[in-house]
Amino acid sequence: MRESMDLGERGRTGADDGPVEPWARYDPWRSAPATPSGAQPPPTRPTDPSHESAPSPESPSEPGTRARRRGVIIAVTLAALVTGTLGGYLGARYERDGGARTLVLPAPAPGPERPAGSVADLAARSLPGVVTLRASGSGEAGTGTGFVLDERGHILTNNHVVAPAAGGGALTVTFSGGQTLRAEVVGRDAGYDLAVVRVRGVKNLTPLALGDSEGVRVGDPVVALGSPFDLPNTVTSGIISAKERPVTAGGEGEQSDISYVDALQTDAPLNPGNSGGPLLDATGHVIGVNSAIRSADTTGEGQAGSVGLGFAIPVNQARWVAGELLAHGHVAHPVIGVALDSREDRNGALIGGDEDAVTPGGPADRAGLAPGDLVTAADGRPVTSTEDLIVRIRAHRPGDRLRLTYVREGKEHHATLTLAAAD
C-alpha cells in the first residue's frame, strides 16, 4: 500500500505525454522501468532514516521477511504440538471418564459396627485362645482342635485327638497367629473322651472363660470354633438343638475306648477336625467341647461331613474331668456296681442274670437291686438301652446320688443310691 501511495504522489511519468492517470501504467509485479537517456529520474520523497533500510513487505527475498516467516512456522508448529498433546490428554480423560460425565469414585463406606455378642465379636475375642493340634505315632496321624485353659499353657481337647501321640509319638500345637510348639500330654481319659496337654515357653496366652452348661436352653445361639479338615480359625454358628442327648463314640468294640456323653446337640456345622474345639454361648463363654457328629454321607476324602447333627460334651463335665486330669493324671469313673447285659433287646438297661452281676456291698446292692432287674429311668429321665444308663451315670461324679426306676417281675420299683468310684 505504501508503494501505491508513492506512485500517486508522483503524478506524471513523462514530459511529452499528455496527462496520464496515475494507475494507468502501474504494474506492481514487474520491475521499475529504466529511465530514458537524458531524462531525469522522478523526484523522490524524503524518507524517515529509521525506515530507510526497512525491506518491503512484498519482497519475499529480503532477509527480514524470511526470518518472520520462519518465526511464524515455528509458532504454528509449537501450537500444533501443544494442541495435539492437549487433545490427546483430553481425549484419554474423556474415554476414561465415560464421555462428558466426570466419574468420581465414592469414598469407602465405614463397615457396620459389631455389637457385643455378635458372631464377629465372639470370634475376634476367642480365636486367640483356640489352637490346632496335630498328633502322629504308631502309624496313625490326626488333626483336631483345643482351647487354652490357663496362662500356664494347659489346653483342653478330646482324647481321640491326642491318642496317636500317646505312645511316644509327636504332638504339636499351633496357635491362631501361626506359632507352632511341641506339646506333652498331661492326662487323658477315653471314657469321657477328654485330654489335657501342655505347651511351654509361650507367653500372653488367652484362656477362654468356662460357662455353665446347666443353664443352657434349647434354641440358644452358639458359635463353634475349630480346624475342620485342617482349616484353622474356622467359625460356624447355630443353635442348641437338644440337651442331654445320650451319645457313644469311638471304641470299635473295645469297651475301654468307648466314650459315653450326655451331650449338647447343635446344628452349628461341625466336621472332622472340629473335635476338641469350644462351643461358645452368646456371651463368649465355653459351654461345651465339640466331640462328635452324626452323618448320613461321606466326603470325597472318605470322612463324614456335617449334616447339622453335632454333639458337644457339656462344659460342667469337662471342667471336672480337666481338674481331675490336672490333679491326678486320670479320672475315677462313677459306677453303681452292676454288670449290664447288652444282648437283651429290652426297652431299658438289663442287669445281668448271674449272681455276680451285682457287686456285693456296692451301691446297687445296698439300694436293693438284684440280677435280672430292668432299669427304665434315671433321675426321672427314660432309659431305653444299656448305653443310656451308662451315659446317665457318667453325667455324675463319684459321691453323687442317683435315683433309679426299675422293673422286677412286672412291678415298678424305685431306689436311690450313692455312686462309687471305679477302681
Side-chain angles (χ1 to χ4, degrees):
M1 293 296 291
R2 190 172 66 185
E3 189 174 36
S4 298
M5 293 173 63
D6 291 345
L7 290 173
E9 291 174 354
R10 292 190 181 98
R12 296 180 181 269
T13 61
D16 299 329
D17 296 327
V20 179
E21 291 294 332
W23 301 101
R25 298 180 179 178
Y26 172 63
D27 185 354
W29 301 112
R30 77 177 181 182
S31 300
T35 303
S37 176
Q40 296 293 327
T44 60
R45 182 180 177 182
T47 59
D48 188 342
S50 63
H51 298 286
E52 185 174 357
S53 61
S56 173
E58 282 77 8
S59 178
S61 62
E62 296 179 9
T65 301
R66 290 197 299 271
R68 282 196 297 273
R69 291 185 66 183
R70 282 197 299 271
V72 170
I73 293 173
I74 293 173
V76 171
T77 302
L78 290 176
L81 289 174
V82 172
T83 303
T85 302
L86 181 61
Y89 170 76
L90 294 177
R93 285 288 303 270
Y94 185 90
E95 179 69 20
R96 185 192 68 187
D97 295 343
R101 297 175 301 167
T102 299
L103 179 62
V104 179
L105 297 178
E113 294 186 4
R114 277 73 176 181
S118 67
V119 175
D121 172 62
L122 297 181
R125 290 192 284 118
S126 302
L127 279 175
V130 179
V131 302
T132 300
L133 294 99
R134 295 180 177 87
S136 61
S138 302
E140 296 181 276
T143 302
T145 307
F147 59 93
V148 178
L149 287 175
D150 57 32
E151 295 182 352
R152 294 181 295 168
H154 290 112
I155 294 168
L156 184 63
T157 186
N158 281 140
N159 171 70
H160 72 261
V161 170
V162 303
L171 179 64
T172 62
V173 168
T174 302
F175 290 85
S176 61
Q179 184 181 18
T180 299
L181 298 171
R182 289 190 175 276
E184 59 181 353
V185 178
V186 175
R188 65 190 188 97
D189 186 90
Y192 287 105
D193 195 19
L194 290 170
V196 174
V197 304
R198 185 178 186 182
V199 293
R200 301 179 186 273
V202 61
K203 298 180 180 180
N204 302 320
L205 294 176
T206 306
L208 298 191
L210 304 184
D212 179 12
S213 52
E214 288 295 324
V216 173
R217 298 290 179 267
V218 173
D220 283 349
V222 291
V223 174
L225 309 179
S227 304
F229 296 110
D230 204 10
L231 298 172
N233 303 324
T234 296
V235 180
T236 57
S237 64
I239 63 169
I240 294 293
S241 305
K243 292 180 59 176
E244 301 173 342
R245 185 75 77 190
V247 174
T248 59
E252 296 184 0
E254 294 294 333
Q255 186 74 16
S256 61
D257 290 338
I258 298 177
S259 61
Y260 299 89
V261 180
D262 200 16
L264 298 173
Q265 181 181 325
T266 179
D267 68 349
L270 303 178
N271 286 285
N274 274 113
S275 294
L279 187 68
L280 308 178
D281 64 12
T283 66
H285 292 151
V286 180
I287 57 171
V289 180
N290 301 318
S291 300
I293 62 173
R294 181 165 297 172
S295 177
D297 201 353
T298 58
T299 68
E301 298 179 358
Q303 293 177 297
S306 173
V307 292
L309 294 174
F311 304 96
I313 300 170
V315 74
N316 289 8
Q317 186 176 63
R319 180 191 289 109
W320 172 70
V321 172
E324 292 291 298
L325 293 175
L326 286 170
H328 310 294
H330 65 275
V331 181
H333 296 177
V335 295
I336 63 174
V338 300
L340 298 174
D341 186 354
S342 59
R343 296 174 299 176
E344 292 289 338
D345 186 14
R346 303 283 186 89
N347 190 25
L350 180 66
I351 299 175
D354 298 337
E355 292 183 1
D356 58 354
V358 177
T359 303
D365 185 38
R366 293 195 301 268
L369 277 76
D373 289 345
L374 181 68
V375 180
T376 59
D379 286 338
R381 294 167 56 193
V383 170
T384 61
S385 66
T386 298
E387 289 77 14
D388 272 3
L389 180 58
I390 297 175
V391 167
R392 306 301 182 211
I393 295 171
R394 292 280 179 87
H396 294 76
R397 307 173 189 177
D400 288 351
R401 295 174 66 83
L402 181 66
R403 184 167 57 90
L404 297 179
T405 300
Y406 62 95
V407 175
R408 179 186 297 168
E409 297 179 353
K411 294 183 179 180
E412 188 174 84
H413 302 272
H414 301 278
T416 300
L417 50 82
T418 300
L419 297 173
D423 295 337

